[in-house]
Amino acid sequence: MNDPTNDWKRVLDSHRLPEPVYVTKPTMPDLGRYTQELESLWKTGWLTNQGCMHQDLERRLEQHLGVENLSLFCNGTIALLVALQSLRINGGEVITTPFTFAATPHVLHWNGVTPVFADIDPHTFNLDPARIEQRIGSNTRAILAVHVYGTPCDVDALQTIADRHGLAVVYDAAHAFGVRYKGQSILRYGNASVLSFHATKLYTTIEGGAVVASSQQHKERVDFLKNFGIADEETVIGPGINGKLNEFQAAFGLLQLETVDQEIAQRAALARLYRERLETLPGLKLLPHNKEVTPNHSYFPILIDEAQFGISRDALYQALRDCNIVTRKYFHPLCSHYPCYAALPSARPENLPVAERVAQRILCLPIYGSLPPETVGAVCDVIGAIHRAAVAS
Ligand code: T4K
Protein backbone atom coordinates (compact mmCIF):
# COMPACT_ATOMS: atom_id res chain seq x y z
CA MET A 1 0.00 0.00 0.00
CA ASN A 2 1.07 3.57 -0.67
CA ASP A 3 2.42 5.28 2.47
CA PRO A 4 0.99 8.88 2.60
CA THR A 5 4.15 10.05 4.40
CA ASN A 6 6.14 9.05 1.31
CA ASP A 7 3.73 11.00 -0.94
CA TRP A 8 4.16 14.05 1.25
CA LYS A 9 7.96 13.67 1.26
CA ARG A 10 7.94 13.36 -2.54
CA VAL A 11 5.96 16.63 -2.84
CA LEU A 12 8.47 18.50 -0.68
CA ASP A 13 11.51 16.91 -2.35
CA SER A 14 10.30 17.77 -5.83
CA HIS A 15 9.60 21.42 -4.95
CA ARG A 16 12.65 22.29 -2.83
CA LEU A 17 14.28 25.55 -4.00
CA PRO A 18 18.06 25.47 -4.51
CA GLU A 19 18.69 28.47 -2.21
CA PRO A 20 16.72 29.77 0.78
CA VAL A 21 14.19 32.52 0.01
CA TYR A 22 13.46 34.81 2.95
CA VAL A 23 10.39 36.86 3.75
CA THR A 24 12.23 40.02 2.75
CA LYS A 25 15.55 41.33 1.52
CA PRO A 26 16.71 44.94 1.24
CA THR A 27 17.30 46.36 -2.22
CA MET A 28 20.80 47.77 -1.90
CA PRO A 29 21.92 51.07 -3.45
CA ASP A 30 24.73 51.05 -5.98
CA LEU A 31 27.94 50.53 -3.96
CA GLY A 32 29.98 52.88 -6.17
CA ARG A 33 27.47 55.71 -5.68
CA TYR A 34 27.32 55.06 -1.94
CA THR A 35 31.11 55.26 -1.53
CA GLN A 36 31.08 58.45 -3.62
CA GLU A 37 28.55 59.96 -1.20
CA LEU A 38 30.74 58.97 1.73
CA GLU A 39 33.77 60.84 0.34
CA SER A 40 32.34 64.13 1.60
CA LEU A 41 32.16 62.67 5.12
CA TRP A 42 35.90 61.88 4.96
CA LYS A 43 36.59 65.44 3.83
CA THR A 44 34.51 67.20 6.51
CA GLY A 45 34.64 64.69 9.38
CA TRP A 46 31.00 65.58 10.11
CA LEU A 47 29.47 62.19 10.94
CA THR A 48 26.30 62.82 12.96
CA ASN A 49 24.29 65.44 14.93
CA GLN A 50 21.97 66.75 12.18
CA GLY A 51 24.59 66.91 9.42
CA CYS A 52 23.97 68.08 5.84
CA MET A 53 22.79 64.70 4.60
CA HIS A 54 20.44 64.34 7.56
CA GLN A 55 18.89 67.72 6.79
CA ASP A 56 18.69 66.95 3.09
CA LEU A 57 17.01 63.60 3.76
CA GLU A 58 14.40 65.14 6.09
CA ARG A 59 13.47 67.65 3.40
CA ARG A 60 13.40 65.08 0.59
CA LEU A 61 11.35 62.61 2.62
CA GLU A 62 8.79 65.31 3.37
CA GLN A 63 8.54 66.07 -0.37
CA HIS A 64 8.38 62.41 -1.33
CA LEU A 65 5.77 61.46 1.25
CA GLY A 66 3.69 64.64 0.99
CA VAL A 67 4.00 65.59 4.65
CA GLU A 68 5.51 68.37 6.76
CA ASN A 69 7.35 68.31 10.08
CA LEU A 70 9.25 65.03 9.66
CA SER A 71 12.09 64.24 12.08
CA LEU A 72 14.56 61.47 11.40
CA PHE A 73 15.43 58.92 14.10
CA CYS A 74 17.96 56.16 14.74
CA ASN A 75 15.15 53.57 14.66
CA GLY A 76 11.36 53.29 14.72
CA THR A 77 11.21 52.21 18.36
CA ILE A 78 12.97 55.32 19.73
CA ALA A 79 10.88 57.41 17.32
CA LEU A 80 7.70 55.93 18.85
CA LEU A 81 9.03 56.45 22.37
CA VAL A 82 9.75 60.11 21.64
CA ALA A 83 6.47 60.68 19.75
CA LEU A 84 4.58 59.63 22.90
CA GLN A 85 6.84 61.76 25.13
CA SER A 86 6.36 64.74 22.82
CA LEU A 87 2.60 64.51 23.46
CA ARG A 88 3.25 64.04 27.20
CA ILE A 89 1.81 60.53 27.12
CA ASN A 90 3.94 59.29 30.00
CA GLY A 91 1.50 57.70 32.43
CA GLY A 92 -2.01 56.26 32.66
CA GLU A 93 -3.35 53.89 30.02
CA VAL A 94 -3.22 53.76 26.24
CA ILE A 95 -5.42 51.57 24.07
CA THR A 96 -3.51 49.55 21.53
CA THR A 97 -3.55 46.42 19.41
CA PRO A 98 -2.12 43.06 20.45
CA PHE A 99 -1.51 42.18 16.77
CA THR A 100 1.75 44.03 16.21
CA PHE A 101 5.51 43.86 16.66
CA ALA A 102 6.89 43.91 20.22
CA ALA A 103 8.00 47.56 19.91
CA THR A 104 4.43 48.91 20.00
CA PRO A 105 3.44 47.92 23.56
CA HIS A 106 7.05 48.12 24.78
CA VAL A 107 7.28 51.87 24.10
CA LEU A 108 4.17 52.34 26.21
CA HIS A 109 5.78 50.41 29.05
CA TRP A 110 9.01 52.44 28.71
CA ASN A 111 6.93 55.62 28.95
CA GLY A 112 5.30 54.44 32.21
CA VAL A 113 2.01 53.74 30.41
CA THR A 114 -0.09 50.58 30.86
CA PRO A 115 -1.09 49.12 27.50
CA VAL A 116 -4.78 48.24 27.24
CA PHE A 117 -5.35 45.76 24.43
CA ALA A 118 -8.46 45.95 22.25
CA ASP A 119 -9.48 43.45 19.59
CA ILE A 120 -8.81 43.78 15.87
CA ASP A 121 -10.96 43.88 12.76
CA PRO A 122 -11.18 40.46 11.03
CA HIS A 123 -10.63 41.95 7.56
CA THR A 124 -7.89 44.57 8.02
CA PHE A 125 -6.27 43.09 11.19
CA ASN A 126 -6.11 46.67 12.56
CA LEU A 127 -7.68 47.94 15.80
CA ASP A 128 -11.46 47.52 15.55
CA PRO A 129 -13.05 50.91 16.40
CA ALA A 130 -16.11 49.05 17.72
CA ARG A 131 -13.96 47.44 20.42
CA ILE A 132 -12.25 50.62 21.63
CA GLU A 133 -14.88 52.54 23.58
CA GLN A 134 -15.51 49.67 26.00
CA ARG A 135 -11.81 49.87 26.97
CA ILE A 136 -11.79 53.63 27.67
CA GLY A 137 -11.63 54.55 31.35
CA SER A 138 -10.72 57.54 33.50
CA ASN A 139 -6.96 56.83 33.05
CA THR A 140 -7.05 56.51 29.25
CA ARG A 141 -4.75 59.04 27.59
CA ALA A 142 -4.50 57.99 23.97
CA ILE A 143 -5.00 55.42 21.24
CA LEU A 144 -1.83 53.89 19.77
CA ALA A 145 -2.98 52.27 16.53
CA VAL A 146 -0.88 50.36 13.98
CA HIS A 147 -1.40 50.38 10.20
CA VAL A 148 -0.48 46.72 10.15
CA TYR A 149 1.13 45.50 6.88
CA GLY A 150 0.60 49.08 5.64
CA THR A 151 -3.21 48.73 5.58
CA PRO A 152 -4.69 52.01 6.86
CA CYS A 153 -6.62 51.89 10.12
CA ASP A 154 -10.16 53.21 10.09
CA VAL A 155 -8.70 56.66 10.74
CA ASP A 156 -12.02 58.53 10.58
CA ALA A 157 -13.69 56.28 13.15
CA LEU A 158 -10.64 56.38 15.44
CA GLN A 159 -10.55 60.19 15.30
CA THR A 160 -14.27 60.42 16.10
CA ILE A 161 -13.78 58.24 19.20
CA ALA A 162 -10.66 60.15 20.25
CA ASP A 163 -12.44 63.52 19.87
CA ARG A 164 -15.43 62.27 21.86
CA HIS A 165 -13.19 61.28 24.78
CA GLY A 166 -10.44 63.91 24.50
CA LEU A 167 -7.74 61.38 23.60
CA ALA A 168 -4.63 61.72 21.45
CA VAL A 169 -4.15 59.36 18.50
CA VAL A 170 -0.66 58.14 17.62
CA TYR A 171 -0.12 55.94 14.59
CA ASP A 172 2.58 53.31 14.47
CA ALA A 173 3.10 53.56 10.72
CA ALA A 174 6.23 51.36 10.71
CA HIS A 175 4.80 49.42 7.72
CA ALA A 176 3.13 52.33 5.94
CA PHE A 177 5.87 54.15 3.96
CA GLY A 178 4.25 55.76 0.92
CA VAL A 179 0.73 54.53 1.67
CA ARG A 180 -1.99 56.97 0.66
CA TYR A 181 -5.60 57.09 1.79
CA LYS A 182 -8.27 59.12 -0.02
CA GLY A 183 -5.50 60.68 -2.10
CA GLN A 184 -3.26 61.90 0.72
CA SER A 185 -0.48 60.44 2.82
CA ILE A 186 -1.72 58.17 5.62
CA LEU A 187 0.92 59.87 7.78
CA ARG A 188 -1.19 63.05 7.93
CA TYR A 189 -3.73 61.53 10.34
CA GLY A 190 -3.70 61.69 14.16
CA ASN A 191 -1.43 63.66 16.47
CA ALA A 192 1.72 61.92 15.21
CA SER A 193 2.76 59.07 12.92
CA VAL A 194 5.92 57.01 13.23
CA LEU A 195 7.83 55.22 10.46
CA SER A 196 10.49 52.50 10.66
CA PHE A 197 13.37 52.41 8.17
CA HIS A 198 14.77 49.08 9.41
CA ALA A 199 16.59 46.82 6.95
CA THR A 200 13.45 44.67 6.67
CA LYS A 201 11.33 47.62 5.48
CA LEU A 202 10.70 48.56 1.85
CA TYR A 203 12.46 51.89 2.40
CA THR A 204 15.51 51.51 4.61
CA THR A 205 18.33 53.49 6.17
CA ILE A 206 19.72 50.20 7.65
CA GLU A 207 18.33 51.14 11.08
CA GLY A 208 16.21 54.26 11.19
CA GLY A 209 12.81 55.81 11.58
CA ALA A 210 10.90 59.07 11.62
CA VAL A 211 8.22 60.97 13.49
CA VAL A 212 5.76 62.99 11.46
CA ALA A 213 4.57 65.67 13.87
CA SER A 214 1.33 67.65 13.62
CA SER A 215 2.84 71.18 13.57
CA GLN A 216 6.15 72.98 13.34
CA GLN A 217 6.05 73.62 17.10
CA HIS A 218 5.46 69.91 17.71
CA LYS A 219 8.41 69.01 15.46
CA GLU A 220 10.65 71.40 17.46
CA ARG A 221 9.70 69.55 20.64
CA VAL A 222 10.38 66.19 18.96
CA ASP A 223 13.78 67.47 17.79
CA PHE A 224 14.74 68.66 21.29
CA LEU A 225 13.69 65.34 22.79
CA LYS A 226 15.70 63.32 20.28
CA ASN A 227 18.84 65.35 21.10
CA PHE A 228 18.99 65.06 24.92
CA GLY A 229 16.66 68.07 25.29
CA ILE A 230 19.53 70.34 24.23
CA ALA A 231 18.49 73.78 22.99
CA ASP A 232 22.01 75.27 22.81
CA GLU A 233 25.44 74.74 24.34
CA GLU A 234 24.29 75.90 27.75
CA THR A 235 20.56 75.10 27.76
CA VAL A 236 18.91 71.74 28.29
CA ILE A 237 15.16 72.25 28.29
CA GLY A 238 14.04 68.78 29.32
CA PRO A 239 14.96 65.12 29.77
CA GLY A 240 15.60 64.10 26.17
CA ILE A 241 17.22 60.99 24.75
CA ASN A 242 19.70 60.23 21.95
CA GLY A 243 17.58 59.32 18.94
CA LYS A 244 19.73 60.71 16.14
CA LEU A 245 20.30 59.17 12.71
CA ASN A 246 23.91 59.45 11.49
CA GLU A 247 25.29 60.66 8.16
CA PHE A 248 26.18 57.16 6.88
CA GLN A 249 22.55 56.16 7.25
CA ALA A 250 21.30 59.43 5.79
CA ALA A 251 23.52 58.90 2.71
CA PHE A 252 22.10 55.38 2.36
CA GLY A 253 18.57 56.79 2.71
CA LEU A 254 19.12 59.47 0.05
CA LEU A 255 20.06 56.81 -2.50
CA GLN A 256 17.19 54.53 -1.43
CA LEU A 257 14.77 57.36 -2.09
CA GLU A 258 15.75 57.32 -5.76
CA THR A 259 14.59 53.72 -6.16
CA VAL A 260 11.75 53.34 -3.65
CA ASP A 261 8.97 53.95 -6.20
CA GLN A 262 10.44 51.23 -8.40
CA GLU A 263 10.65 48.96 -5.33
CA ILE A 264 6.93 49.48 -4.66
CA ALA A 265 6.03 48.93 -8.34
CA GLN A 266 7.99 45.65 -8.41
CA ARG A 267 6.27 44.53 -5.22
CA ALA A 268 2.87 45.45 -6.71
CA ALA A 269 3.57 43.17 -9.70
CA LEU A 270 4.58 40.31 -7.38
CA ALA A 271 1.49 40.86 -5.20
CA ARG A 272 -0.68 40.62 -8.36
CA LEU A 273 1.01 37.35 -9.25
CA TYR A 274 0.43 35.93 -5.77
CA ARG A 275 -3.22 37.01 -5.95
CA GLU A 276 -3.81 35.41 -9.36
CA ARG A 277 -2.32 32.13 -8.17
CA LEU A 278 -3.60 31.92 -4.57
CA GLU A 279 -6.98 33.68 -4.59
CA THR A 280 -8.82 30.57 -5.75
CA LEU A 281 -7.06 28.03 -3.51
CA PRO A 282 -9.55 26.71 -0.92
CA GLY A 283 -8.78 27.71 2.65
CA LEU A 284 -6.60 30.75 1.88
CA LYS A 285 -7.78 34.30 2.54
CA LEU A 286 -5.91 37.34 1.22
CA LEU A 287 -6.13 40.97 2.35
CA PRO A 288 -9.06 42.74 0.64
CA HIS A 289 -8.53 45.57 -1.86
CA ASN A 290 -9.70 49.03 -0.82
CA LYS A 291 -10.19 51.46 -3.71
CA GLU A 292 -9.47 54.45 -1.42
CA VAL A 293 -6.01 53.11 -0.56
CA THR A 294 -2.75 53.32 -2.54
CA PRO A 295 -0.92 50.36 -0.98
CA ASN A 296 2.83 49.80 -0.61
CA HIS A 297 2.85 45.97 -0.60
CA SER A 298 5.24 45.86 2.32
CA TYR A 299 4.01 42.38 3.30
CA PHE A 300 2.00 39.62 1.64
CA PRO A 301 0.00 37.96 4.42
CA ILE A 302 -2.28 34.96 3.90
CA LEU A 303 -4.76 33.52 6.38
CA ILE A 304 -4.99 29.72 6.47
CA ASP A 305 -8.19 27.91 7.36
CA GLU A 306 -6.99 24.42 8.26
CA ALA A 307 -10.37 22.73 7.67
CA GLN A 308 -10.49 23.86 4.03
CA PHE A 309 -6.80 24.08 3.16
CA GLY A 310 -5.96 20.66 4.53
CA ILE A 311 -3.17 21.51 6.99
CA SER A 312 -2.62 24.10 9.69
CA ARG A 313 -0.64 27.34 9.40
CA ASP A 314 2.16 25.81 11.47
CA ALA A 315 2.31 22.72 9.26
CA LEU A 316 2.37 24.89 6.12
CA TYR A 317 5.12 27.08 7.63
CA GLN A 318 7.23 23.96 8.29
CA ALA A 319 6.53 22.40 4.88
CA LEU A 320 7.57 25.64 3.15
CA ARG A 321 10.69 25.80 5.30
CA ASP A 322 11.52 22.25 4.21
CA CYS A 323 11.34 23.59 0.66
CA ASN A 324 13.76 26.45 1.51
CA ILE A 325 10.97 29.06 1.67
CA VAL A 326 11.33 30.99 4.91
CA THR A 327 8.00 32.66 5.68
CA ARG A 328 7.19 34.51 8.93
CA LYS A 329 4.26 34.31 11.35
CA TYR A 330 4.00 38.10 11.80
CA PHE A 331 2.46 38.62 14.45
CA HIS A 332 2.38 35.39 16.42
CA PRO A 333 2.49 35.26 19.38
CA LEU A 334 0.24 38.21 20.15
CA CYS A 335 1.86 40.89 22.33
CA SER A 336 -0.87 40.13 24.90
CA HIS A 337 0.75 36.70 25.34
CA TYR A 338 4.17 38.09 26.31
CA PRO A 339 4.91 37.35 29.99
CA CYS A 340 5.25 41.12 30.67
CA TYR A 341 1.66 41.79 29.56
CA ALA A 342 -0.20 38.45 29.94
CA ALA A 343 -1.47 39.27 33.45
CA LEU A 344 -3.23 42.47 32.30
CA PRO A 345 -7.04 42.11 32.33
CA SER A 346 -7.22 43.36 28.72
CA ALA A 347 -4.77 40.62 27.64
CA ARG A 348 -7.16 37.77 28.41
CA PRO A 349 -7.67 35.69 25.26
CA GLU A 350 -11.47 35.79 25.67
CA ASN A 351 -11.27 39.61 25.28
CA LEU A 352 -9.37 39.31 22.00
CA PRO A 353 -11.08 36.52 20.01
CA VAL A 354 -10.35 37.90 16.53
CA ALA A 355 -6.69 38.64 17.26
CA GLU A 356 -6.29 35.16 18.78
CA ARG A 357 -7.76 33.52 15.67
CA VAL A 358 -5.75 35.62 13.22
CA ALA A 359 -2.45 35.05 15.08
CA GLN A 360 -3.01 31.27 14.81
CA ARG A 361 -3.64 31.41 11.06
CA ILE A 362 -1.46 34.16 9.62
CA LEU A 363 1.60 33.65 7.43
CA CYS A 364 3.63 36.29 5.56
CA LEU A 365 5.04 35.12 2.23
CA PRO A 366 8.29 36.43 0.68
CA ILE A 367 7.91 39.79 -1.07
CA TYR A 368 10.63 42.26 -2.07
CA GLY A 369 11.54 44.12 -5.23
CA SER A 370 14.42 41.90 -6.34
CA LEU A 371 12.44 38.66 -5.83
CA PRO A 372 12.15 37.07 -9.29
CA PRO A 373 8.53 36.51 -10.45
CA GLU A 374 9.54 32.88 -11.20
CA THR A 375 10.31 32.43 -7.51
CA VAL A 376 6.86 33.74 -6.58
CA GLY A 377 5.51 31.23 -9.12
CA ALA A 378 7.56 28.49 -7.44
CA VAL A 379 6.26 29.48 -3.97
CA CYS A 380 2.68 29.28 -5.31
CA ASP A 381 3.43 25.89 -6.94
CA VAL A 382 4.62 24.54 -3.58
CA ILE A 383 1.59 25.89 -1.71
CA GLY A 384 -0.75 24.39 -4.32
CA ALA A 385 1.05 21.03 -4.25
CA ILE A 386 0.98 20.94 -0.43
CA HIS A 387 -2.75 21.69 -0.44
CA ARG A 388 -3.46 18.93 -2.96
CA ALA A 389 -1.31 16.41 -1.09
CA ALA A 390 -2.93 17.40 2.23
CA VAL A 391 -6.52 16.99 1.05
CA ALA A 392 -5.66 13.72 -0.74
CA SER A 393 -4.06 12.08 2.33
N1 T4K B 1 6.26 48.93 15.02
C1 T4K B 1 6.02 47.94 14.17
C2 T4K B 1 4.61 47.64 13.78
C3 T4K B 1 7.09 47.21 13.63
O1 T4K B 1 6.85 46.18 12.77
C4 T4K B 1 8.41 47.54 13.99
C5 T4K B 1 9.52 46.79 13.47
C6 T4K B 1 8.61 48.61 14.89
C7 T4K B 1 7.49 49.28 15.38
C8 T4K B 1 9.95 49.02 15.36
O2 T4K B 1 10.74 49.62 14.33
P1 T4K B 1 12.37 49.47 14.43
O3 T4K B 1 12.79 49.94 15.80
O4 T4K B 1 12.75 48.04 14.17
O5 T4K B 1 12.85 50.43 13.36
C9 T4K B 1 11.94 42.57 12.01
C10 T4K B 1 12.56 43.92 12.24
O6 T4K B 1 13.72 43.86 13.06
C11 T4K B 1 11.63 44.95 12.78
O7 T4K B 1 12.16 46.20 12.42
C12 T4K B 1 10.25 44.82 12.20
N2 T4K B 1 9.32 45.72 12.80
C13 T4K B 1 9.73 43.41 12.36
C14 T4K B 1 8.35 43.23 11.79
O8 T4K B 1 10.60 42.55 11.66
P2 T4K B 1 12.60 40.19 12.75
O9 T4K B 1 13.02 39.66 14.08
O10 T4K B 1 11.56 39.48 12.02
O11 T4K B 1 13.85 40.36 11.77
P3 T4K B 1 14.83 39.26 11.17
O12 T4K B 1 16.21 39.62 11.60
O13 T4K B 1 14.35 37.90 11.51
O14 T4K B 1 14.70 39.52 9.62
C15 T4K B 1 13.62 39.02 8.83
C16 T4K B 1 14.17 38.63 7.47
O15 T4K B 1 14.65 39.78 6.81
C17 T4K B 1 15.36 37.68 7.52
O16 T4K B 1 14.88 36.37 7.49
C18 T4K B 1 16.14 38.03 6.28
C19 T4K B 1 15.82 39.47 6.02
N3 T4K B 1 16.89 40.39 6.41
C20 T4K B 1 16.98 40.84 7.71
C21 T4K B 1 17.98 41.71 8.07
C22 T4K B 1 18.08 42.20 9.50
C23 T4K B 1 17.82 40.80 5.46
O17 T4K B 1 17.74 40.38 4.30
N4 T4K B 1 18.79 41.68 5.82
C24 T4K B 1 18.92 42.16 7.09
O18 T4K B 1 19.82 42.97 7.36
O19 T4K B 1 12.18 41.69 13.04
Side-chain angles (χ1 to χ4, degrees):
M1 228 194 34
N2 214 5
D3 179 355
T5 334
N6 284 337
D7 289 350
W8 188 247
K9 202 172 164 306
R10 258 196 301 278
V11 169
L12 299 186
D13 282 346
S14 62
H15 285 91
R16 187 164 295 121
L17 303 190
E19 298 290 333
V21 175
Y22 297 101
V23 70
T24 190
K25 187 178 177 183
T27 301
M28 301 295 281
D30 180 78
L31 185 57
R33 294 238 1 241
Y34 186 56
T35 45
Q36 242 171 30
E37 294 291 329
L38 297 186
E39 275 173 21
S40 70
L41 304 185
W42 260 256
K43 281 189 198 125
T44 61
W46 194 274
L47 306 182
T48 185
N49 287 9
Q50 283 83 243
C52 293
M53 296 203 191
H54 178 286
Q55 288 176 33
D56 196 17
L57 184 58
E58 278 195 353
R59 217 190 52 247
R60 284 175 194 248
L61 277 169
E62 286 181 345
Q63 283 165 0
H64 185 93
L65 295 167
V67 296
E68 295 96 40
N69 307 309
L70 181 146
S71 296
L72 285 169
F73 272 81
C74 56
N75 61 55
T77 305
I78 298 291
L80 263 178
L81 195 78
V82 168
L84 294 164
Q85 275 287 324
S86 72
L87 295 163
R88 298 180 174 81
I89 301 167
N90 46 15
E93 296 178 346
V94 167
I95 293 170
T96 194
T97 168
F99 190 69
T100 182
F101 188 59
T104 316
H106 286 353
V107 295
L108 294 174
H109 181 86
W110 277 65
N111 271 323
V113 173
T114 305
V116 173
F117 296 110
D119 209 359
I120 60 170
D121 178 276
H123 306 292
T124 63
F125 312 144
N126 288 327
L127 263 182
D128 183 347
R131 302 281 158 247
I132 290 179
E133 272 186 310
Q134 63 206 86
R135 297 269 169 271
I136 296 175
S138 54
N139 288 329
T140 310
R141 305 278 297 277
I143 299 167
L144 174 55
V146 180
H147 302 300
V148 82
Y149 308 134
T151 302
C153 292
D154 189 343
V155 286
D156 301 322
L158 292 183
Q159 197 58 55
T160 303
I161 295 169
D163 290 345
R164 194 152 51 219
H165 296 272
L167 306 176
V169 184
V170 177
Y171 285 108
D172 178 339
H175 305 169
F177 187 99
V179 171
R180 296 176 77 78
Y181 175 61
K182 292 184 180 168
Q184 69 164 349
S185 169
I186 193 64
L187 307 171
R188 298 183 78 89
Y189 291 85
N191 299 82
S193 290
V194 175
L195 290 159
S196 165
F197 303 150
H198 184 258
T200 54
K201 300 293 184 286
L202 70 92
Y203 171 80
T204 178
T205 56
I206 308 168
E207 291 273 359
V211 172
V212 177
S214 53
S215 66
Q216 198 186 338
Q217 199 187 9
H218 185 194
K219 174 176 158 59
E220 276 169 24
R221 185 166 161 72
V222 168
D223 286 341
F224 284 135
L225 286 170
K226 87 167 183 196
N227 188 28
F228 313 98
I230 292 174
D232 61 44
E233 274 181 41
E234 298 187 8
T235 321
V236 174
I237 58 166
I241 201 165
N242 183 354
K244 290 168 282 140
L245 183 100
N246 68 50
E247 291 290 275
F248 289 76
Q249 292 167 282
F252 199 91
L254 283 167
L255 292 179
Q256 285 274 334
L257 210 43
E258 292 178 10
T259 54
V260 69
D261 283 344
Q262 191 190 341
E263 172 72 25
I264 293 175
Q266 284 165 331
R267 284 169 182 246
L270 298 176
R272 266 196 305 277
L273 202 53
Y274 269 133
R275 266 184 194 281
E276 280 164 23
R277 294 286 311 275
L278 299 181
E279 214 150 34
T280 49
L281 264 194
L284 294 190
K285 197 178 142 195
L286 315 182
L287 273 178
H289 272 306
N290 179 345
K291 282 197 196 108
E292 293 185 310
V293 174
T294 310
N296 67 2
H297 308 285
S298 47
Y299 294 85
F300 197 89
I302 57 173
L303 209 60
I304 296 116
D305 175 356
E306 180 176 355
Q308 288 183 47
F309 185 71
I311 58 169
S312 68
R313 183 276 310 272
D314 287 344
L316 177 60
Y317 167 87
Q318 192 51 52
L320 289 170
R321 239 193 136 103
D322 292 342
C323 293
N324 253 340
I325 300 161
V326 188
T327 61
R328 292 300 289 265
K329 304 174 195 175
Y330 294 133
F331 290 99
H332 166 87
L334 293 175
C335 297
S336 48
H337 284 227
Y338 299 170
C340 46
Y341 307 122
L344 294 170
S346 67
R348 285 194 209 115
E350 62 268 30
N351 289 333
L352 306 164
V354 179
E356 293 285 340
R357 206 168 53 243
V358 171
Q360 288 302 323
R361 296 174 174 199
I362 200 81
L363 202 61
C364 288
L365 302 181
I367 189 159
Y368 48 89
S370 60
L371 183 65
E374 309 79 64
T375 307
V376 168
V379 173
C380 296
D381 288 344
V382 181
I383 294 173
I386 290 171
H387 163 67
R388 284 188 295 278
V391 291
S393 63

